[in-house]
Amino acid sequence: GDQEMAYFATIGSDKQEGTLPSYTSYFLPESKLAVMRNNWSENGVSAFLRGRSGGGHSHADVNHMSLYAYGRYLLADTGMSSYDQRDPNYQWQFLRTESHNTVEVNGTGQQKSGVVNTMMYTNPRVDFYTGESHAYLDFTHTRKVTFPKNSKFFIVSDFIQAPDNGSVNRFNQTWHNLVEAKPVLNEE
């Protein structure tokens, strides 16, 4: 059997089985999903990045990033609470790009289709991810994430290539934390 799956399936049980994976970060190129983490401890720092669009279960969230550290979510995916269309937040969570940790262009949501190119490079010291999205007509959003694993931070750079037609555009980079996260800005 799969020793790594057995390890995660038996966490917290009286009889821990399997073996801890030798890797901490992983990229699934076909599904365009990436996980970056520094270790497997409860206080480990990890990020989940989504670079895909389209499909029957898709959200308007290309280049979304969730962050989990110290046993709790720091950047949450707010589009995860209910699949019940009667829920008052359903439209916002599933259809609006602003409900995810990504970039919204000119106050409109992403199309649920469009070319997305992703890649990730990982080694024991650093992870580097890039996702290039064409989920907005005539705009390209490229998100680059660098994670130096010996630190406890991520460097996120968003680049938007807009059409050269003289119009003024508005770009909104959104970050959502849970209320109980209580983020604090360290001025040092």
Side-chain angles (χ1 to χ4, degrees):
D2 187 333
Q3 291 299 303
E4 293 167 352
M5 182 60 81
Y7 179 85
F8 290 110
T10 58
I11 288 177
S13 71
D14 293 336
K15 186 179 175 191
Q16 179 71 54
E17 297 178 20
T19 56
L20 192 64
S22 60
Y23 56 87
T24 53
S25 300
Y26 201 75
F27 178 59
L28 299 165
E30 302 243 345
S31 60
K32 301 179 181 187
L33 301 173
V35 175
M36 299 175 165
R37 62 182 310 126
N38 63 348
N39 62 57
W40 291 105
S41 75
E42 288 184 27
N43 288 323
V45 177
S46 63
F48 174 74
L49 297 119
R50 187 172 22 251
R52 65 180 180 200
S53 69
H57 186 78
S58 66
H59 298 212
D61 64 349
V62 176
N63 284 331
H64 166 84
M65 178 180 182
S66 295
L67 181 60
Y68 190 86
Y70 317 112
R72 62 191 174 130
Y73 276 104
L74 298 181
L75 292 177
D77 183 351
T78 59
M80 293 180 16
S81 69
S82 174
Y83 290 95
D84 184 347
Q85 293 185 17
R86 296 170 297 179
D87 185 295
N89 296 314
Y90 176 84
Q91 294 289 323
W92 184 76
Q93 291 174 326
F94 285 91
L95 303 177
R96 295 298 306 263
T97 300
E98 71 176 344
S99 72
H100 299 280
N101 300 317
T102 188
V103 174
E104 188 177 63
V105 176
N106 292 330
T108 62
Q110 297 173 351
Q111 301 173 39
K112 288 190 179 181
S113 62
V115 176
V116 179
N117 300 308
T118 57
M119 58 86 50
M120 183 168 148
Y121 171 78
T122 185
N123 67 39
R125 296 178 55 165
V126 68
D127 290 336
F128 177 76
Y129 168 90
T130 184
E132 179 186 280
S133 166
H134 300 270
Y136 288 104
L137 189 62
D138 298 327
F139 292 85
T140 301
H141 169 212
T142 302
R143 171 163 280 181
K144 296 183 179 202
V145 180
T146 303
F147 177 41
K149 292 183 181 183
N150 64 348
S151 65
K152 295 183 178 177
F153 62 87
F154 294 82
I155 302 167
V156 180
S157 301
D158 286 309
F159 304 92
I160 308 292
Q161 182 177 352
D164 189 15
N165 59 11
S167 62
V168 175
N169 298 289
R170 185 173 51 109
F171 308 107
N172 184 30
Q173 185 185 50
T174 54
W175 300 108
H176 300 282
N177 60 282
L178 299 176
V179 174
E180 60 269 17
K182 300 180 182 170
V184 177
L185 179 62
N186 185 342
E187 297 288 340
E188 294 178 23

